[in-house]
Amino acid sequence: MDQTTDPKKLFIRTYGCQMNVYDSERMAEAMGGEGYVEVSSPEEADMILLNTCHIREKAAEKVYSELGRFKDLKDAKPDLKIGVAGCVAQAEGEEIMRRQPMVDLVVGPQTYHRLPEMVRRIGTGAKAVDTEFPLEDKFEVLKSRPKGRRAPAAFLTVQEGCDKFCAFCVVPYTRGAEVSRPPERILREARELVERGVREITLLGQNVNAYHGEDAKGAGWTLARLIWALNDIEGLERIRFTTSHPNDMSDDLIEAHGDCAKLMPYLHLPVQSGSDKILKRMNRKHTAEDYLRLVERIRAARPDILLSGDFIVGFPEETDQDFEDTLALIRAVNYGAAFSFKYSSRPGTPAAERPLVDEDVSTDRLYRLQALINEQASDVLEGMVGREVGVLFEKPGRMPGQMVGKSDYLHAVHVSGEGIVPGDLRRVRITARAPNSLAGELV
Ligand code: SAH
Ligand code: SF4
Ligand code: F3S
């Protein structure tokens, strides 16, 4: 970087899942090497990067409306570069530039380590598109991370892509086949994060519990083995992982939830539907009963574990009875949280060929499902009052002297306490609940 000029400014907006959050961090780091610093508004930027999500139609279309809003900025500052990264970039490629000619660069999730070189190319007025699935390992190309202090909780991608091909889902196409990173590299990255102040790591993968890394000696590692190795890192206090598929919840991973001290009592375990007919058509390869038995085994290993899930309502040909079966499953499980979506037909997926459920019917089902989930989440929150939990403090709260952190169960907890700093892990007695968070005092 030329030290005599001001650094160039990069604005990144991230949509979609946590893996996109992780990828955006890595892209910002890669661009740091090109002399870019990150800024918090598009108006200041010399380059704007949208890291996009293709999972539902609305998410994908948002990208185009967002790009439309940057038109005035580009008119006012013709040198402004605009890039589209992530899963829409992967799925739509050059089509994006046809629809929005002001886009200079399109980069998929597997090639963002080539971003610096692409940015140099567009500096000369050219356009650049890269949506390959290259053989080189982007994580190795990007391996040196900057050294500054970090927030106490961080994401770390350990597995990427998916071979499950659920009938509704674009992820196997946008992220490609399942690939696991070698354990040594993950452990090295974890140690580096801890040196920079990180105390909680969430291991990421589209199908994280299918992790099957191979070490330098050729030995296979399961996710449980990786978690046990992370458990030995001094200074790392908490481990989480997301997102898991029910069919990959192996015995060693269930046991780890009972035995591994740093593994937190929270598990995101999407089931999508409680109807066997719909599960079959979704290609989930398990029944509602299989899922309920699995939940029982997990709770036997860790009785206080909090479960969250994902649900799709209005999947093609979902009847009232199918939907009632989903509600029954939710009642049987009792979730602490859940994400729920109306089915969105995605081009190229098998389910897109099937007859749609009436929109109003889907809307009504979504409303009813969310009401039930909210009731359960609210009861779980209420049940925390009076209990003592670990809280990892992250930042100051809105009130003077107040700090906010996350409990072991991922609830936001507000505590007024002098002398607490971000990164402190303390025992807290929960004294009250708000609609979506808790309040407590240090023990
Ligand atoms: N790999 C994760 C989830 C990835 S996508 C898993 O297997 O669970 C996150 C969630 O988006 C999914 O769990 C599903 O509930 C939802 N989703 C995916 N495709 C969708 C679609 N076409 N319409 C509506 N919701 C969808
Ligand atoms: Fe999509 Fe299914 Fe793979 Fe999850 S397991 S990413 S829902 S195909
Ligand atoms: Fe979206 Fe891609 Fe994640 S489609 S949910 S950003 S894997």
Side-chain angles (χ1 to χ4, degrees):
M1 174 184 157
D2 182 351
Q3 297 297 331
T4 58
T5 54
D6 283 342
K8 285 171 281 182
K9 299 190 177 89
L10 171 69
F11 173 75
I12 306 186
R13 181 159 285 158
T14 307
Y15 304 90
C17 60
Q18 289 108 323
M19 197 174 285
N20 263 10
V21 175
Y22 175 85
D23 290 344
S24 289
E25 281 173 12
R26 304 310 309 263
M27 287 193 275
E29 288 169 2
M31 293 290 286
E34 296 297 296
Y36 279 86
V37 295
E38 228 184 319
V39 292
S40 56
S41 80
E43 288 75 22
E44 299 170 69
D46 301 301
M47 171 148 190
I48 294 173
L49 203 53
L50 298 183
N51 194 11
T52 61
C53 174
H54 199 245
I55 201 81
R56 284 167 291 274
E57 189 181 355
K58 260 198 201 124
E61 283 305 315
K62 211 176 336 178
V63 177
Y64 292 100
S65 54
E66 187 73 22
L67 284 170
R69 255 174 271 148
F70 294 147
K71 195 176 174 307
D72 291 346
L73 289 179
K74 185 114 176 173
D75 287 345
K77 196 198 259 183
D79 280 349
L80 173 68
K81 299 294 179 203
I82 296 182
V84 178
C87 291
V88 177
Q90 189 62 47
E92 299 183 10
E94 289 182 20
E95 175 68 21
I96 297 174
M97 282 187 192
R98 271 194 290 277
R99 277 183 70 177
Q100 276 293 359
M102 69 172 153
V103 172
D104 300 287
L105 173 160
V106 174
V107 62
Q110 302 309 340
T111 46
Y112 63 71
H113 55 296
R114 297 176 179 167
L115 194 56
E117 182 267 320
M118 294 174 76
V119 169
R120 266 171 259 147
R121 234 188 307 153
I122 62 171
T124 62
K127 304 246 172 187
V129 178
D130 194 341
T131 53
E132 282 179 40
F133 287 101
L135 290 172
E136 81 254 17
D137 178 354
K138 72 180 170 202
F139 300 108
E140 273 307 281
V141 178
L142 293 174
K143 83 178 154 201
S144 69
R145 279 194 164 216
K147 296 283 171 258
R149 282 301 280 181
R150 289 196 40 133
F155 294 129
L156 202 177
T157 293
V158 302
Q159 177 279 342
E160 190 165 352
C162 182
D163 295 340
K164 293 273 192 286
F165 291 92
C166 298
F168 49 81
C169 184
V170 294
V171 170
Y173 313 98
T174 62
R175 291 278 170 172
E178 229 175 78
V179 178
S180 295
R181 296 178 64 192
E184 296 93 338
R185 294 184 193 164
I186 295 165
L187 293 169
R188 181 184 66 203
E189 191 172 329
R191 279 187 224 101
E192 284 168 6
L193 287 170
V194 170
E195 277 164 25
R196 296 173 62 197
V198 168
R199 313 208 56 197
E200 170 178 313
I201 291 180
T202 302
L203 306 175
L204 296 183
Q206 266 85 39
N207 226 330
V208 71
N209 56 345
Y211 176 82
H212 54 279
E214 196 181 295
D215 66 19
K217 295 190 200 109
W221 285 50
T222 61
L223 185 66
R225 183 166 175 197
L226 184 64
I227 288 168
W228 278 108
L230 287 161
N231 195 60
D232 287 339
I233 296 180
E234 208 178 315
L236 180 64
E237 305 292 350
R238 286 172 153 188
I239 304 164
R240 305 180 187 275
F241 59 90
T242 196
T243 296
S244 298
H245 191 287
N247 291 357
D248 292 314
M249 259 343 265
S250 55
D251 292 344
D252 60 345
L253 190 55
I254 295 174
E255 279 163 28
H257 270 291
D259 302 336
C260 183
K262 294 180 185 174
L263 186 57
M264 289 295 105
Y266 185 103
L267 179 65
H268 186 57
L269 194 64
V271 63
Q272 315 297 352
S273 169
S275 150
D276 287 344
K277 178 192 98 190
I278 295 295
L279 285 170
K280 195 162 176 27
R281 292 184 185 183
M282 285 178 164
N283 194 30
R284 291 290 290 186
K285 298 200 169 81
H286 61 76
T287 63
E289 188 62 23
D290 294 337
Y291 182 83
L292 292 173
R293 292 291 82 79
L294 174 62
V295 165
E296 260 173 30
R297 285 169 55 219
I298 296 165
R299 285 199 169 128
R302 181 78 203 226
D304 65 334
I305 200 163
L306 215 122
L307 292 172
S308 66
D310 290 344
F311 294 91
I312 296 177
V313 301
F315 185 80
E317 299 163 283
E318 183 188 68
T319 61
D320 286 339
Q321 185 54 51
D322 294 323
F323 177 66
E324 289 302 329
D325 291 348
T326 300
L327 295 182
L329 177 139
I330 294 172
R331 282 187 206 102
V333 172
N334 194 27
Y335 288 94
F339 300 97
S340 48
F341 313 96
K342 263 194 273 184
Y343 171 73
S344 168
S345 178
R346 306 306 288 130
T349 59
E353 311 292 319
R354 312 296 306 167
L356 290 173
V357 168
D358 179 83
E359 179 73 24
D360 292 340
V361 171
S362 292
T363 304
D364 178 60
R365 287 179 189 165
L366 185 67
Y367 179 77
R368 287 177 58 202
L369 187 147
Q370 287 178 343
L372 176 59
I373 293 282
N374 289 345
E375 206 178 290
Q376 295 188 341
S378 173
D379 288 349
V380 168
L381 207 58
E382 190 71 39
M384 291 287 160
V385 178
R387 284 180 61 179
E388 198 185 298
V389 296
V391 175
L392 178 63
F393 288 97
E394 292 182 354
K395 56 182 185 218
R398 244 174 286 155
M399 310 294 206
Q402 191 187 51
M403 289 291 289
V404 192
K406 292 274 166 61
S407 79
D408 302 336
Y409 307 93
L410 223 47
H411 291 127
V413 180
H414 299 256
V415 171
S416 69
E418 293 297 314
I420 306 174
V421 294
D424 281 355
L425 180 64
R426 305 285 287 269
R427 299 297 296 172
V428 169
R429 181 163 299 105
I430 303 300
T431 51
R433 64 158 293 191
N436 295 305
S437 66
L438 297 166
E441 52 199 26
L442 293 182
V443 175

